[in-house]
Amino acid sequence: MMAVLRVFLFSLFAIFIGLLFMGIGRKVIARIQLRYGPPFYQAFLDVGKLFSRKSITHNFVMDLGMVMSLGGLLATMLFVPIAGHVAIKTSTNLIVIMYLMAIGYLGMAMAVAASGNPNATIGVSRALTMMLGYEVPFFTVMLGLIIVNGTSSLELISQSQAGSILNWNMIRFPLSFIAAEIALQAMMGEKPFDAMIAPAEIASGPMVELSGKYLGLAFLTHAVSIFVETAIIVNLFMGGASNIFTFVLKQFEIYLITVFIEAVFPRFRIEQAVKFLWTVPMGIAVLQLILILLK
Amino acid sequence: MQELKVEKKRSCIDNVIDFFRQRSIWMLHYCTGCGAVELPPSMTSRWDMERFGIGPMATPRQADVLLVTGYVSLKTLKRIIRTYEQMPEPKWVLAFGSCTVNGGIYWDSYNTITNLAEYIPVDITVSGCMPRPEAVMDALQTLMKMIQSGEAGAYKKYKENYEYYKANQDRVLKKTVPILGQTPKNDLEGKNEDAKE
C-alpha cells in the first residue's frame, strides 16, 4: 500500500515540476523575443483545457500507445534518485534507466503509427532516427562515468561528488558534460534538433492526429521526460542534492540552458542532426573516455 | 432556423472548465485570405497574443478556434467546411474582415461567397478591410468573455440546424464541379475528388 502511494506521489511530483518548467520555459523564450509572454502556469491551463475537450481515437492501439508512452517514462522516473529519495531501490539503476527510457518513445511511435496519418509517420521515423543519434554519445558519456566510479548506481555516482563544487563531475570531466548537454538538447527535442516536431514542415509530426485527451497525455509525457532527463544530468554531473528544493533548482538551471539554446537556434534537417550528433558530441565524449582510460 | 438557447443556470464545474478553455485558445494555422497578414504582428512582439494563452496550432485536431481571414472563394469554402468538421468540440469560428460579413469588395464576384454565417456557424465577426491587430485582439478577448459566460456555442447550432447549413453549402458548391469531364457529382466527403487533387 505504501509502495503504491509512493509511486503515485512521485509521479504527481514529476508531472507538476515538468509542467511548471514548460510554462517558465515559454515565459523565458517570450522575454528573449521581447514579448510579455504567457503566465508561468500556462502549461497547467493548456493541460486542463485539453482534458476537458472531446477527443478522437482511431483504434485501440492508439489508446494503448499513448498510455504506454506516459507509463514508460513514469517507470523510468521511479528509478531516478531525487535528492536521496528513490521510489524503487536498485543497485544498478543507470542501466535500467537506459533501457526504460526507450519505452516511452516506442509507445508514442506505436500510437501515432496507428493513427495512419503520413505526417505522423514521418515525424515518428524522424524521432526514432534522432534517438539513434543522441543515444550513442550519451551512452558513451555514461560509460566513462561508470568506469571512473566502478558502479552503475546513480546514487553512488552522485554521492561520490559530495563535498565541494570542485568534486562535481561537471568540473572534473568538462568534456563529458558538454557532450551530455548537446545530447540532452536532442533528447528533449529542443530547437536545433526538433526536426521531428517541425510545425511548419510536417504539421507538428507525431502530434498531428492527437486531439483533446490524447494531446493532454502527450503534454504530460513531455513534462515527465523533461523531469527525468534533467534529473539524470543533475545526478551525473552536479552531484545530486541534499534536499528537494536544491535538486529542483539544479534541474531548472539545466533546463534553462536548453531553453536559451532553443530560443536562438534554427532547425537542423534530420540527416544533418544525426551527422552532427555522431561527430561533434561523440568525438568529445570519446576524447574524454580516452583521457579517463589513460589515467 | 432555431435560435440558440443560452442556458441560464451554469454549474460550478462548467465555470471551471470554461475558465480553462478561455485561457488557452489555440488557433488553426490555416490562412484562407489576405487578412492573414494581420496575424503575424498580433502574434509577435508588437501585440503578443500569447500573453492570453492564444497561440497557433498546426492541425485542426489540436485547434479550438478557426480563423477565416478574409474573402472565401468557393474552393476555399469546401476546405473550410472540411476543416471545421474535423475539429473536435468545443470549437469556435472567428470571421475576419468585411468579406466574410457581406462580401466586402468582392460583393458581386461570381466566385466568392458573401456571408460566411450561412455556411458554417460563426461565433464572432470583425469587420474592416483589413481589421487592425487591435481589432483582432479585441475580438479574441470578446471571444474569451463569451466562452466564460457560455454564450459561445455556435458549434451546437451547427448540429441542431445541420439541414439548413448543408442545403446552403450544396447550393454553392455545385458551381465548383468542373464543367468538362465527369458527370456532376456533389459530395463534400468525396474520396475520388481528393485523390485527384
Side-chain angles (χ1 to χ4, degrees):
Chain A
M1 188 59 212
M2 274 314 283
V4 174
L5 194 68
R6 217 174 147 76
V7 167
F8 186 67
L9 284 179
F10 266 88
S11 311
L12 271 189
F13 180 71
I15 288 172
F16 176 78
I17 295 293
L19 287 178
L20 195 66
F21 279 10
M22 276 162 77
I24 297 174
R26 278 174 71 178
K27 185 89 181 169
V28 169
I29 290 177
R31 297 306 299 165
I32 291 172
Q33 294 169 349
L34 297 181
R35 288 187 290 127
Y36 186 73
F40 71 92
Y41 50 85
Q42 184 65 45
F44 295 98
L45 298 177
D46 286 347
V47 170
K49 179 205 72 173
L50 285 171
F51 276 100
S52 79
R53 297 191 79 202
K54 275 199 175 171
S55 32
I56 297 156
T57 178
H58 290 261
N59 46 38
F60 171 70
V61 181
M62 188 169 158
D63 306 2
L64 185 73
M66 290 313 294
V67 177
M68 182 176 150
S69 69
L70 181 58
L73 273 162
L74 282 176
T76 320
M77 191 270 306
L78 299 179
F79 289 94
V80 179
I82 302 153
H85 306 281
V86 59
I88 300 172
K89 280 198 167 62
T90 56
S91 56
T92 55
N93 46 11
L94 205 48
I95 291 171
V96 181
I97 288 167
M98 271 146 71
Y99 271 103
L100 281 180
M101 232 157 68
I103 289 183
Y105 296 101
L106 290 179
M108 181 64 97
M110 202 166 89
V112 304
S115 74
N117 190 311
N119 280 328
T121 317
I122 294 171
V124 120
S125 76
R126 285 184 184 187
L128 293 179
T129 317
M130 192 72 87
M131 208 162 110
L132 213 63
Y134 66 70
E135 282 197 335
V136 179
F138 197 68
F139 288 178
T140 316
V141 167
M142 279 187 180
L143 183 66
L145 292 177
I146 289 173
I147 292 170
V148 168
N149 292 284
T151 172
S152 66
S153 161
L154 207 48
E155 287 111 321
L156 291 181
I157 293 181
S158 70
Q159 277 162 21
S160 73
Q161 308 163 46
S164 78
I165 200 165
L166 293 175
N167 291 344
W168 287 6
N169 284 341
M170 198 172 130
I171 311 290
R172 281 165 71 203
F173 309 110
L175 292 180
S176 278
F177 180 66
I178 293 167
E181 267 297 312
I182 299 172
L184 180 77
Q185 194 77 19
M187 222 185 254
M188 288 196 188
E190 301 284 13
K191 225 9 158 327
F193 306 104
D194 72 334
M196 63 274 222
I197 309 286
E201 200 182 321
I202 49 170
S204 72
M207 272 111 74
V208 66
E209 276 291 318
L210 304 182
S211 57
K213 296 172 186 70
Y214 295 90
L215 194 56
L217 279 178
F219 257 67
L220 296 187
T221 311
H222 187 58
V224 179
S225 79
I226 287 175
F227 183 84
V228 168
E229 284 148 11
T230 49
I232 293 171
I233 295 281
V234 167
N235 276 315
L236 281 180
F237 290 102
M238 299 173 84
S242 55
N243 63 44
I244 212 114
F245 292 106
T246 328
F247 192 84
V248 172
L249 208 64
K250 283 179 179 174
Q251 274 183 307
F252 183 64
E253 283 164 20
I254 295 290
Y255 183 63
L256 217 52
I257 296 174
T258 62
V259 166
F260 287 155
I261 299 173
E262 147 102 12
V264 292
F265 271 85
R267 180 186 306 138
F268 273 135
R269 283 205 312 270
I270 181 68
E271 81 273 14
Q272 290 171 330
V274 174
K275 200 172 168 187
F276 177 81
L277 285 168
W278 277 359
T279 50
V280 178
M282 185 65 192
I284 299 172
V286 169
L287 194 66
Q288 183 73 69
L289 189 61
I290 292 168
L291 288 177
I292 287 170
L293 290 176
L294 288 180
K295 218 175 257 175
Chain B
M1 192 170 120
Q2 307 163 2
E3 275 305 306
L4 188 71
K5 297 182 286 288
V6 178
E7 293 201 6
K8 287 275 152 42
K9 286 199 77 177
R10 289 164 52 73
S11 68
C12 185
I13 297 170
D14 281 351
N15 278 328
V16 172
I17 287 177
D18 282 338
F19 173 74
F20 281 117
R21 283 176 180 167
Q22 59 120 342
R23 284 309 301 274
S24 160
I25 298 177
W26 289 349
M27 311 179 298
L28 183 61
H29 210 314
Y30 173 61
C31 303
T32 49
C34 44
V37 82
E38 299 293 333
L39 287 179
S42 39
M43 271 186 262
T44 48
S45 46
R46 182 72 176 87
W47 276 279
D48 185 27
M49 270 176 195
E50 204 188 2
R51 63 201 150 118
F52 306 116
I54 305 168
M57 270 297 171
T59 74
R61 297 275 191 228
Q62 303 163 353
D64 300 302
V65 53
L66 172 65
L67 294 185
V68 182
T69 54
Y71 66 90
V72 179
S73 72
L74 294 180
K75 282 191 173 179
T76 317
L77 180 67
K78 204 167 167 179
R79 274 75 182 170
I80 286 176
I81 292 165
R82 193 175 289 167
T83 313
Y84 181 72
E85 288 176 353
Q86 276 184 16
M87 285 162 67
E89 288 175 10
K91 50 189 172 183
W92 302 286
V93 178
L94 198 158
F96 194 107
S98 299
C99 298
T100 52
V101 184
N102 58 8
I105 56 168
Y106 300 101
W107 62 277
D108 61 347
S109 166
Y110 66 97
N111 200 25
T112 60
I113 58 161
T114 48
N115 187 0
L116 182 70
E118 287 176 13
Y119 308 97
I120 54 171
V122 175
D123 281 285
I124 185 163
T125 54
V126 202
S127 56
C129 183
M130 299 311 306
R132 300 252 320 147
E134 291 98 326
V136 183
M137 302 291 288
D138 189 40
L140 284 167
Q141 277 186 301
T142 315
L143 183 64
M144 282 163 72
K145 281 186 199 124
M146 283 166 72
I147 293 168
Q148 181 66 70
S149 63
E151 288 167 63
Y155 60 94
K156 293 176 200 151
K157 214 158 83 179
Y158 191 66
K159 279 199 291 196
E160 281 166 18
N161 304 298
Y162 185 65
E163 291 80 18
Y164 168 80
Y165 289 110
K166 182 72 181 161
N168 281 340
Q169 290 164 7
D170 286 350
R171 198 183 66 241
V172 290
L173 290 180
K174 260 190 300 202
K175 296 183 201 164
T176 61
V177 178
I179 295 168
L180 298 172
Q182 292 85 21
T183 48
K185 210 168 43 165
N186 185 23
D187 55 338
L188 262 178
E189 304 82 16
K191 298 220 165 59
N192 301 333
E193 281 187 0
D194 258 0
K196 257 185 272 166
E197 273 157 15

Short mmCIF file of all heavy atoms in Angstrom, two decimals, chain A residues 6-42:
data_model
loop_
_atom_site.label_atom_id
_atom_site.label_comp_id
_atom_site.label_asym_id
_atom_site.label_seq_id
_atom_site.Cartn_x
_atom_site.Cartn_y
_atom_site.Cartn_z
N ARG A 6 3.60 5.79 -2.71
CA ARG A 6 4.89 6.39 -3.02
C ARG A 6 5.04 6.64 -4.52
O ARG A 6 5.41 7.75 -4.95
CB ARG A 6 5.96 5.40 -2.55
CG ARG A 6 7.19 6.00 -1.95
CD ARG A 6 8.02 4.86 -1.41
NE ARG A 6 9.42 5.17 -1.55
CZ ARG A 6 10.05 6.01 -0.75
NH1 ARG A 6 9.41 6.61 0.23
NH2 ARG A 6 11.33 6.25 -0.92
N VAL A 7 4.71 5.58 -5.29
CA VAL A 7 4.80 5.69 -6.75
C VAL A 7 3.89 6.81 -7.25
O VAL A 7 4.27 7.65 -8.07
CB VAL A 7 4.43 4.34 -7.40
CG1 VAL A 7 4.20 4.51 -8.89
CG2 VAL A 7 5.50 3.32 -7.14
N PHE A 8 2.67 6.86 -6.69
CA PHE A 8 1.69 7.85 -7.11
C PHE A 8 2.20 9.27 -6.80
O PHE A 8 2.14 10.16 -7.66
CB PHE A 8 0.38 7.57 -6.37
CG PHE A 8 -0.76 8.43 -6.82
CD1 PHE A 8 -1.28 8.28 -8.10
CD2 PHE A 8 -1.30 9.38 -6.00
CE1 PHE A 8 -2.32 9.06 -8.53
CE2 PHE A 8 -2.34 10.18 -6.42
CZ PHE A 8 -2.85 10.02 -7.68
N LEU A 9 2.75 9.45 -5.61
CA LEU A 9 3.22 10.78 -5.23
C LEU A 9 4.41 11.20 -6.08
O LEU A 9 4.49 12.36 -6.52
CB LEU A 9 3.61 10.79 -3.75
CG LEU A 9 2.43 10.83 -2.77
CD1 LEU A 9 2.92 10.82 -1.35
CD2 LEU A 9 1.59 12.07 -3.02
N PHE A 10 5.34 10.27 -6.33
CA PHE A 10 6.49 10.58 -7.18
C PHE A 10 6.02 11.01 -8.57
O PHE A 10 6.52 11.98 -9.13
CB PHE A 10 7.41 9.37 -7.29
CG PHE A 10 8.53 9.37 -6.30
CD1 PHE A 10 8.36 8.80 -5.05
CD2 PHE A 10 9.75 9.94 -6.60
CE1 PHE A 10 9.38 8.80 -4.13
CE2 PHE A 10 10.78 9.94 -5.69
CZ PHE A 10 10.59 9.36 -4.44
N SER A 11 5.01 10.28 -9.12
CA SER A 11 4.52 10.62 -10.46
C SER A 11 3.91 12.00 -10.48
O SER A 11 4.19 12.81 -11.38
CB SER A 11 3.47 9.60 -10.92
OG SER A 11 3.93 8.31 -10.73
N LEU A 12 3.07 12.29 -9.46
CA LEU A 12 2.44 13.61 -9.40
C LEU A 12 3.49 14.71 -9.32
O LEU A 12 3.40 15.74 -10.00
CB LEU A 12 1.53 13.70 -8.17
CG LEU A 12 0.09 13.26 -8.36
CD1 LEU A 12 -0.70 13.61 -7.11
CD2 LEU A 12 -0.52 13.95 -9.56
N PHE A 13 4.51 14.47 -8.50
CA PHE A 13 5.57 15.47 -8.32
C PHE A 13 6.29 15.72 -9.64
O PHE A 13 6.50 16.87 -10.05
CB PHE A 13 6.55 14.99 -7.25
CG PHE A 13 7.67 15.94 -6.99
CD1 PHE A 13 7.44 17.13 -6.34
CD2 PHE A 13 8.96 15.63 -7.40
CE1 PHE A 13 8.47 18.01 -6.11
CE2 PHE A 13 9.99 16.50 -7.17
CZ PHE A 13 9.75 17.70 -6.52
N ALA A 14 6.63 14.63 -10.35
CA ALA A 14 7.35 14.78 -11.62
C ALA A 14 6.51 15.54 -12.63
O ALA A 14 7.01 16.44 -13.33
CB ALA A 14 7.71 13.41 -12.18
N ILE A 15 5.21 15.22 -12.71
CA ILE A 15 4.34 15.90 -13.68
C ILE A 15 4.22 17.38 -13.32
O ILE A 15 4.31 18.26 -14.19
CB ILE A 15 2.95 15.22 -13.71
CG1 ILE A 15 3.06 13.87 -14.40
CG2 ILE A 15 1.94 16.09 -14.43
CD1 ILE A 15 1.82 13.04 -14.32
N PHE A 16 4.07 17.66 -12.01
CA PHE A 16 3.92 19.05 -11.58
C PHE A 16 5.16 19.86 -11.94
O PHE A 16 5.07 20.93 -12.55
CB PHE A 16 3.67 19.08 -10.07
CG PHE A 16 3.60 20.47 -9.50
CD1 PHE A 16 2.44 21.22 -9.65
CD2 PHE A 16 4.67 21.02 -8.84
CE1 PHE A 16 2.37 22.49 -9.14
CE2 PHE A 16 4.61 22.29 -8.33
CZ PHE A 16 3.46 23.03 -8.48
N ILE A 17 6.34 19.33 -11.59
CA ILE A 17 7.57 20.07 -11.86
C ILE A 17 7.78 20.23 -13.36
O ILE A 17 8.16 21.31 -13.85
CB ILE A 17 8.77 19.36 -11.20
CG1 ILE A 17 8.63 19.36 -9.69
CG2 ILE A 17 10.09 20.02 -11.60
CD1 ILE A 17 8.73 20.71 -9.05
N GLY A 18 7.50 19.16 -14.12
CA GLY A 18 7.68 19.23 -15.57
C GLY A 18 6.81 20.30 -16.19
O GLY A 18 7.27 21.10 -17.02
N LEU A 19 5.52 20.35 -15.79
CA LEU A 19 4.62 21.34 -16.36
C LEU A 19 5.04 22.75 -15.96
O LEU A 19 4.97 23.70 -16.76
CB LEU A 19 3.18 21.08 -15.92
CG LEU A 19 2.50 19.88 -16.56
CD1 LEU A 19 1.12 19.71 -16.00
CD2 LEU A 19 2.42 20.04 -18.06
N LEU A 20 5.49 22.90 -14.71
CA LEU A 20 5.96 24.21 -14.26
C LEU A 20 7.15 24.67 -15.10
O LEU A 20 7.21 25.82 -15.55
CB LEU A 20 6.34 24.11 -12.79
CG LEU A 20 6.53 25.39 -12.01
CD1 LEU A 20 5.20 26.11 -11.91
CD2 LEU A 20 7.05 25.10 -10.62
N PHE A 21 8.09 23.73 -15.35
CA PHE A 21 9.26 24.07 -16.17
C PHE A 21 8.83 24.48 -17.57
O PHE A 21 9.36 25.44 -18.14
CB PHE A 21 10.20 22.87 -16.25
CG PHE A 21 11.10 22.69 -15.07
CD1 PHE A 21 10.90 23.44 -13.92
CD2 PHE A 21 12.14 21.79 -15.09
CE1 PHE A 21 11.72 23.27 -12.82
CE2 PHE A 21 12.96 21.62 -14.00
CZ PHE A 21 12.75 22.37 -12.87
N MET A 22 7.86 23.73 -18.15
CA MET A 22 7.41 24.07 -19.50
C MET A 22 6.85 25.49 -19.55
O MET A 22 7.14 26.26 -20.47
CB MET A 22 6.33 23.07 -19.95
CG MET A 22 6.87 21.80 -20.53
SD MET A 22 5.63 20.52 -20.54
CE MET A 22 4.65 21.02 -21.92
N GLY A 23 6.03 25.83 -18.54
CA GLY A 23 5.46 27.17 -18.50
C GLY A 23 6.52 28.24 -18.37
O GLY A 23 6.51 29.25 -19.09
N ILE A 24 7.48 28.02 -17.45
CA ILE A 24 8.53 29.01 -17.25
C ILE A 24 9.38 29.12 -18.50
O ILE A 24 9.80 30.21 -18.89
CB ILE A 24 9.37 28.65 -16.01
CG1 ILE A 24 8.49 28.68 -14.77
CG2 ILE A 24 10.52 29.63 -15.82
CD1 ILE A 24 9.18 28.22 -13.52
N GLY A 25 9.62 27.97 -19.16
CA GLY A 25 10.40 27.97 -20.40
C GLY A 25 9.75 28.84 -21.46
O GLY A 25 10.43 29.62 -22.14
N ARG A 26 8.41 28.74 -21.59
CA ARG A 26 7.71 29.57 -22.57
C ARG A 26 7.84 31.05 -22.22
O ARG A 26 7.99 31.91 -23.10
CB ARG A 26 6.24 29.19 -22.64
CG ARG A 26 6.01 27.98 -23.50
CD ARG A 26 4.59 27.52 -23.45
NE ARG A 26 3.69 28.43 -24.12
CZ ARG A 26 2.38 28.20 -24.22
NH1 ARG A 26 1.86 27.13 -23.70
NH2 ARG A 26 1.61 29.06 -24.84
N LYS A 27 7.77 31.35 -20.93
CA LYS A 27 7.91 32.73 -20.49
C LYS A 27 9.30 33.27 -20.83
O LYS A 27 9.46 34.38 -21.33
CB LYS A 27 7.67 32.78 -18.98
CG LYS A 27 7.65 34.16 -18.39
CD LYS A 27 6.27 34.74 -18.44
CE LYS A 27 6.25 36.14 -17.87
NZ LYS A 27 4.99 36.79 -18.16
N VAL A 28 10.33 32.42 -20.57
CA VAL A 28 11.71 32.86 -20.82
C VAL A 28 11.93 33.11 -22.30
O VAL A 28 12.52 34.14 -22.69
CB VAL A 28 12.70 31.80 -20.28
CG1 VAL A 28 14.10 32.09 -20.75
CG2 VAL A 28 12.65 31.75 -18.78
N ILE A 29 11.40 32.19 -23.15
CA ILE A 29 11.54 32.38 -24.59
C ILE A 29 10.86 33.67 -25.02
O ILE A 29 11.39 34.45 -25.82
CB ILE A 29 10.96 31.17 -25.34
CG1 ILE A 29 11.85 29.96 -25.13
CG2 ILE A 29 10.84 31.45 -26.83
CD1 ILE A 29 11.33 28.71 -25.75
N ALA A 30 9.67 33.93 -24.44
CA ALA A 30 8.96 35.16 -24.78
C ALA A 30 9.78 36.38 -24.39
O ALA A 30 9.87 37.35 -25.16
CB ALA A 30 7.61 35.19 -24.07
N ARG A 31 10.41 36.37 -23.23
CA ARG A 31 11.22 37.52 -22.80
C ARG A 31 12.42 37.71 -23.73
O ARG A 31 12.81 38.84 -24.02
CB ARG A 31 11.69 37.36 -21.36
CG ARG A 31 10.59 37.31 -20.33
CD ARG A 31 9.66 38.48 -20.39
NE ARG A 31 10.30 39.75 -20.16
CZ ARG A 31 9.76 40.92 -20.44
NH1 ARG A 31 8.57 40.98 -20.98
NH2 ARG A 31 10.41 42.02 -20.19
N ILE A 32 13.02 36.57 -24.19
CA ILE A 32 14.15 36.69 -25.11
C ILE A 32 13.70 37.33 -26.42
O ILE A 32 14.42 38.14 -27.01
CB ILE A 32 14.79 35.31 -25.36
CG1 ILE A 32 15.47 34.82 -24.09
CG2 ILE A 32 15.80 35.36 -26.49
CD1 ILE A 32 15.94 33.42 -24.16
N GLN A 33 12.48 37.00 -26.86
CA GLN A 33 11.96 37.58 -28.11
C GLN A 33 11.29 38.92 -27.88
O GLN A 33 10.51 39.38 -28.73
CB GLN A 33 10.96 36.60 -28.74
CG GLN A 33 11.61 35.32 -29.20
CD GLN A 33 10.59 34.28 -29.58
OE1 GLN A 33 9.41 34.43 -29.31
NE2 GLN A 33 11.05 33.22 -30.20
N LEU A 34 11.51 39.56 -26.71
CA LEU A 34 10.95 40.86 -26.36
C LEU A 34 9.43 40.84 -26.38
O LEU A 34 8.78 41.79 -26.82
CB LEU A 34 11.46 41.98 -27.29
CG LEU A 34 12.96 42.25 -27.24
CD1 LEU A 34 13.29 43.37 -28.16
CD2 LEU A 34 13.41 42.55 -25.84
N ARG A 35 8.84 39.75 -25.90
CA ARG A 35 7.41 39.68 -25.74
C ARG A 35 7.11 39.60 -24.24
O ARG A 35 8.00 39.35 -23.44
CB ARG A 35 6.85 38.43 -26.42
CG ARG A 35 6.86 38.51 -27.90
CD ARG A 35 6.14 37.33 -28.51
NE ARG A 35 6.86 36.08 -28.33
CZ ARG A 35 6.33 35.00 -27.80
NH1 ARG A 35 5.10 35.01 -27.34
NH2 ARG A 35 7.03 33.91 -27.69
N TYR A 36 5.84 39.82 -23.89
CA TYR A 36 5.49 39.72 -22.49
C TYR A 36 5.39 38.26 -22.08
O TYR A 36 5.86 37.85 -21.02
CB TYR A 36 4.17 40.45 -22.22
CG TYR A 36 3.83 40.50 -20.77
CD1 TYR A 36 4.53 41.33 -19.91
CD2 TYR A 36 2.84 39.68 -20.24
CE1 TYR A 36 4.25 41.34 -18.57
CE2 TYR A 36 2.55 39.71 -18.91
CZ TYR A 36 3.26 40.54 -18.07
OH TYR A 36 2.99 40.55 -16.74
N GLY A 37 4.79 37.46 -22.95
CA GLY A 37 4.75 36.02 -22.71
C GLY A 37 3.58 35.57 -21.88
O GLY A 37 2.95 36.36 -21.19
N PRO A 38 3.25 34.27 -21.95
CA PRO A 38 2.12 33.74 -21.19
C PRO A 38 2.45 33.66 -19.71
O PRO A 38 3.63 33.73 -19.33
CB PRO A 38 1.94 32.34 -21.78
CG PRO A 38 3.29 31.97 -22.24
CD PRO A 38 3.96 33.22 -22.68
N PRO A 39 1.45 33.51 -18.83
CA PRO A 39 1.76 33.34 -17.41
C PRO A 39 2.52 32.05 -17.17
O PRO A 39 2.43 31.12 -17.98
CB PRO A 39 0.40 33.31 -16.74
CG PRO A 39 -0.55 32.98 -17.81
CD PRO A 39 0.01 33.53 -19.07
N PHE A 40 3.26 31.97 -16.07
CA PHE A 40 4.13 30.80 -15.86
C PHE A 40 3.34 29.52 -15.64
O PHE A 40 3.87 28.44 -15.77
CB PHE A 40 5.09 31.04 -14.69
CG PHE A 40 4.41 31.04 -13.34
CD1 PHE A 40 4.31 29.86 -12.62
CD2 PHE A 40 3.87 32.19 -12.82
CE1 PHE A 40 3.68 29.86 -11.39
CE2 PHE A 40 3.25 32.20 -11.60
CZ PHE A 40 3.15 31.01 -10.88
N TYR A 41 2.03 29.65 -15.34
CA TYR A 41 1.22 28.44 -15.14
C TYR A 41 0.44 28.07 -16.39
O TYR A 41 -0.53 27.33 -16.32
CB TYR A 41 0.28 28.63 -13.95
CG TYR A 41 -0.51 29.92 -13.99
CD1 TYR A 41 -1.70 30.01 -14.69
CD2 TYR A 41 -0.04 31.05 -13.34
CE1 TYR A 41 -2.41 31.19 -14.74
CE2 TYR A 41 -0.74 32.24 -13.38
CZ TYR A 41 -1.92 32.30 -14.08
OH TYR A 41 -2.61 33.48 -14.14
N GLN A 42 0.86 28.61 -17.56
CA GLN A 42 0.11 28.37 -18.79
C GLN A 42 0.01 26.88 -19.13
O GLN A 42 -1.02 26.42 -19.62
CB GLN A 42 0.77 29.13 -19.94
CG GLN A 42 0.05 29.05 -21.26
CD GLN A 42 -1.32 29.69 -21.23
OE1 GLN A 42 -1.47 30.77 -20.70
NE2 GLN A 42 -2.30 29.02 -21.77
#
